Amino acid sequence: MRLFIDTASPKEIEEAMRWGVVSGVTTNPTLVARERFPDFHAAVRSIAAMVDGPVNAEVIALECEAMVEEARVLAGLAPNVVVKIPLTPDGLAAVRQLTREEIATNVTLVFSAAQSLMAALAGADYASVFVGRLDDAGHEGMEVVRQTTAIFDRHGLETAVIAASIRHPLHVVEAALAGADIATVPFAVLRQLLRHPLTDLGIERFLADWRQVSGNR
Ligand code: E4P
C-alpha cells in the first residue's frame, strides 16, 4: 500500500516528502481554502511542482460539461494532476469523457461498495472511500474498503482504492490489511504513524548508557 498526504499545506508536504514515505497528495476545496494561495490554480501548480507522484485537485462544478471543462484546465496545469470528481450521475458521465481524453480521475465522496463499483465501471483511475466520515455517521467505514477491494479483485477492475478521511494510525493499518492501494493521510496522523513511546525511551536509554561508557574512559 502507498501513502498520500491529505493536505494543501506546502510546509506539511515538504516535511512529509523529506521522510520518504509519501508518494502523492490529495487536496479538496476545504483543505485549499485553509492555505494562503493567490488562487486555486496557483495552489495546484505549486503543490504539483513539489512531488513527482499524483496531485489530486477537485472540480467545483456539478454539471457534466462544466466538470469536464474544469478538469481539462486542472489537468493542463501539471502532468501529475489527477482530477477529483464527486460521485454523482454527472460526475460519472464526466469521468467517462475524461477517461476517453486520457485525463486521470479520482472519484471522491464514495460511501458504499456500490458507489465504488460505479466509479470503476465509469473508468475512474482511483476511487476514494471516506472511512472516517462513515465512522462518524455510525457505520464501519473500513468495511466499505474491504468490500471494494474484494469486488475489484474478483472482477479484475483496475481502479485503485484510496482509503480517505483517515482519522488515526489504526485506520492506516486496517486499510493496508483490507487491501487498499493507497491511504491518504493528514499530516498529524502521518506523524503519529511513526511515533512510539518505546522508540523514544530506547533512544534515551542508549544515549544515557553511552554517556556513562564514554564518561568512564
Ligand atoms: C480525500 O481525498 C479527502 O480530501 C479527505 O480524505 C477528506 O477527509 P475528511 O473527512 O477528514 O475531510
Side-chain angles (χ1 to χ4, degrees), residues 6 26 28 84 130 133 164-165 167:
D6 196 25
T26 51
N28 62 39
K84 281 174 85 176
F130 276 45
R133 291 194 199 182
S165 185
R167 301 271 193 264

Side-chain angles (χ1 to χ4, degrees), residues 6 26-28 31 58 84 106 108 128 130 132-133 136 162 164-167 184 186:
D6 196 25
T26 51
T27 67
N28 62 39
L31 294 171
E58 191 158 341
K84 281 174 85 176
N106 171 358
T108 188
S128 292
F130 276 45
R133 291 194 199 182
D136 293 345
I162 302 184
S165 185
I166 293 290
R167 301 271 193 264
T184 188

